[in-house]
Amino acid sequence: MGQQRVLVVARQPGRRAEQRQRLESAGFVTSEAEDPTAAHGLLEGGGIAAVVCCEGGEDGDQWRVLTRHPTAPPVIVVSAEAEVSGAVAAMRDGAADYVAEGAAAGELAAAVARVTEAGPDLVAEDRSSRQLMALAQRVAGKEVTVLITGESGTGKEVFARYIHDRSPRAEGPFVAVNCAAIPENMLEALLFGYEKGAFTGANRAHAGKFEQAQGGTLLLDEVSEIEPGLQAKLLRTLQEKEIERLCGQSSIPLDVRVLASSNRDLREEVRAGRFREDLFYRLHVFPLHLPPLRQRTADIIPLARSFVAKYAQLGGAGEAVLTPEAERLLLQHSWQGNVRELENVIQRALILAEGRSIDAGAIHFEPVPVEGAPGPEPAAPRAPAGGASVRELKPSAAADTEATLEEDLKGREYRRILETLAEVGGSRKEAASRLGISSRTLRYKLARMRQEGFEVPERSGVLYAYGG
């Protein structure tokens, strides 16, 4: 599997060295920069999965500058003085996560893993999974477009990386673009790049994701979220194997393999007029459909064990093991949030487990109960603007509500976002205005909520579940 590269930004060499050591011990590849100016140069080169930026002292709040970079990956703030007000402000202004500098050694690595979707190697024990793996292995060596479909959280990006890593392009870059998490007015510039002066704030030329993936593989994750006008430009790019940057004067030849993924039925999207039929057939050369986890039960325990090993630092007694009773509970669950829900449950179990054994008492599919505290209040159904009815807003996968300040803040933030979206009928622009945040920040937060198994309303008011 390709490794995730993380950029550490801090003015003090000692702070940079400390954070790099934490990340490298967890298996991440790191780079470093002294300030946002140096960081921008590295971001332009691509291949950065996340930025860890120190706050406080000489560093001040320079991380805010990085979040405004047009192609900035998720930015995690490491604060010297963790405060409630600082965490709230950071999340509001676009930070992907907020970690105290004095926190446990594994907390920063866990935060980076969450925002980069760094997962285990492909686990395929179920018969259907083995058949899919065999198909992926066969198509890996062929220069054709692969469309990977399946419910949210089934592991579509893991399969895409598997194909890349076994292709002749394995030594080249693997670049993934979450088309659902990027504002429509920025996605074109992000994909195709732009020349200096192409728009306000374009102070220099920038290579887009297609160029950054030269010699390697580009994954268009949630490709169904691309708006129709941009679909036409994407189709031409796939046909001609060349691009033009925004305001560019010449074409740039491409040597890129394109993979695409979607949690929707693209044929239905074509019939509904939301997705171009010609683009569908251009992407649908070799389709792979990933069944939900509940239909490949033989994968559940091997996946759970791989997550136990991955998040071992969350437990306090070293390497942990699942007891037979705990495994039985995992097999009986329906896993509506698929692999991502399983990952959340295992992380929670490692925190709650006593000693090295993860028993049935540490397995919680619902919010962890706090003695003496009232239970969660059910969300009342709301009708969006336009009169269309919606289902009750609630997470499709159990949220980790361990009684920590961070999770409490996150839970309140998510509820507020969902309530506001319901009130405005799913309009991202109006919801961002009411919440007092930028549209870009809202899009990122919605993408993270989908990754955690929450149901997010579409603009029409219909709800659908995301996760991966």
Side-chain angles (χ1 to χ4, degrees):
M1 297 288 290
Q3 290 178 301
Q4 302 281 339
R5 190 154 66 99
V6 183
L7 177 62
V8 178
V9 183
R11 294 189 185 278
Q12 298 170 310
R15 296 186 83 183
R16 292 200 302 271
E18 181 182 359
Q19 304 313 321
R20 290 189 69 175
Q21 184 178 9
R22 287 183 168 190
L23 292 168
E24 288 173 358
S25 65
F28 291 98
V29 176
T30 65
S31 298
E32 65 176 59
E34 183 179 5
D35 54 35
T37 302
H40 283 177
L42 292 172
L43 292 175
E44 295 288 344
I48 303 293
V51 176
V52 170
C53 194
C54 293
E55 177 189 53
E58 294 181 13
D59 294 292
D61 61 352
Q62 60 180 349
W63 64 269
R64 285 185 167 84
V65 178
L66 290 172
T67 62
R68 292 193 289 271
H69 189 277
T71 59
V75 176
I76 297 170
V77 178
V78 175
S79 177
E81 298 178 1
E83 298 177 347
V84 177
S85 58
V88 173
M91 297 294 188
R92 184 184 63 230
D93 293 347
D97 217 325
Y98 188 88
V99 179
E101 195 159 15
E107 190 168 327
L108 177 61
V112 173
R114 284 194 297 270
V115 302
T116 60
E117 298 186 70
D121 286 341
L122 185 60
V123 173
E125 294 294 331
D126 194 89
R127 181 181 178 184
S128 63
S129 297
R130 291 199 302 269
Q131 290 174 342
L132 278 170
M133 188 171 67
L135 287 173
Q137 207 159 7
R138 292 185 66 177
V139 77
K142 312 298 181 183
E143 282 289 316
V144 297
T145 305
V146 179
L147 177 63
I148 307 172
T149 57
E151 290 183 10
S152 298
T154 49
K156 295 186 289 294
E157 183 170 342
V158 174
F159 262 87
R161 287 182 180 274
Y162 182 85
I163 291 170
H164 169 75
D165 290 341
R166 283 150 185 81
S167 75
R169 297 176 175 271
E171 298 303 316
F174 176 86
V175 178
V177 182
N178 186 340
C179 301
I182 302 165
E184 293 173 3
N185 61 350
M186 290 183 63
L187 185 57
E188 182 177 8
L190 179 73
L191 288 174
F192 300 101
Y194 52 85
E195 297 294 342
K196 181 179 179 180
F199 50 83
T200 303
N203 299 320
R204 51 182 167 177
H206 177 76
K209 295 298 184 182
F210 272 102
E211 287 181 75
Q212 292 173 24
Q214 289 277 34
T217 304
L218 175 66
L219 170 63
L220 298 174
D221 190 20
E222 303 304 348
V223 69
S224 55
E225 300 303 308
I226 298 178
E227 54 91 19
L230 191 53
Q231 288 178 26
K233 186 169 183 178
L234 175 60
L235 175 65
R236 183 183 182 282
T237 297
L238 296 176
Q239 290 173 335
E240 305 298 330
K241 298 187 183 301
E242 62 181 25
I243 60 164
E244 279 189 18
R245 293 181 179 179
L246 269 64
C247 293
Q249 301 299 314
S250 59
S251 297
I252 301 172
L254 290 178
D255 176 25
V256 176
R257 182 183 190 176
V258 174
L259 308 179
S261 70
S262 177
N263 66 355
R264 298 180 185 237
D265 182 345
L266 280 187
R267 289 186 185 276
E268 181 58 37
E269 294 298 299
V270 170
R271 285 192 287 267
R274 292 187 290 266
F275 200 81
R276 293 179 63 106
E277 185 175 24
D278 45 8
L279 178 57
F280 168 74
Y281 284 112
R282 178 65 62 173
L283 296 173
H284 199 256
V285 177
F286 196 94
L288 286 176
H289 181 74
L290 274 59
L293 186 58
R294 60 187 172 273
Q295 292 179 10
R296 43 189 174 103
T297 54
D299 286 343
I300 293 174
I301 300 306
L303 277 167
R305 290 170 179 167
S306 73
F307 288 132
V308 168
K310 175 184 174 182
Y311 295 108
Q313 77 279 355
L314 293 178
E319 185 178 351
V321 293
L322 291 158
T323 65
E325 292 76 15
E327 292 185 350
R328 179 176 53 80
L329 283 180
L330 296 178
L331 288 170
Q332 291 174 348
H333 190 59
S334 61
W335 301 115
Q336 295 301 308
N338 290 298
V339 180
R340 185 162 291 113
E341 182 186 359
L342 174 60
E343 185 174 12
N344 290 343
V345 168
I346 294 302
Q347 290 184 69
R348 189 178 310 141
L350 283 164
I351 294 170
L352 298 176
E354 298 284 347
R356 296 182 57 214
S357 293
I358 302 175
D359 59 19
I363 303 296
H364 286 267
F365 304 110
E366 298 297 331
V368 181
V370 178
E371 187 175 352
E377 295 181 4
R382 295 173 179 268
S389 62
V390 298
R391 299 194 303 276
E392 182 181 351
L393 292 174
K394 60 181 180 180
S396 61
D400 181 0
T401 55
E402 178 73 1
T404 64
L405 174 61
E406 178 185 357
E407 293 303 317
D408 183 56
L409 287 171
K410 185 184 292 186
R412 293 182 184 181
E413 178 187 43
Y414 286 0
R415 285 195 297 274
R416 176 73 184 281
I417 289 173
L418 289 172
E419 289 171 358
T420 304
L421 279 171
E423 290 169 359
V424 300
S427 169
R428 272 55 169 168
K429 183 177 181 180
E430 188 169 347
S433 176
R434 291 195 183 190
L435 291 166
I437 59 178
S438 68
S439 295
R440 178 182 183 276
T441 299
L442 178 60
R443 291 289 290 262
Y444 178 79
K445 291 183 183 297
L446 291 178
R448 188 170 64 177
M449 289 165 65
R450 291 165 183 147
Q451 292 169 1
E452 295 183 12
F454 280 78
E455 291 183 342
V456 177
E458 291 190 76
R459 290 167 183 77
S460 62
V462 181
L463 292 173
Y464 58 93
Y466 278 81

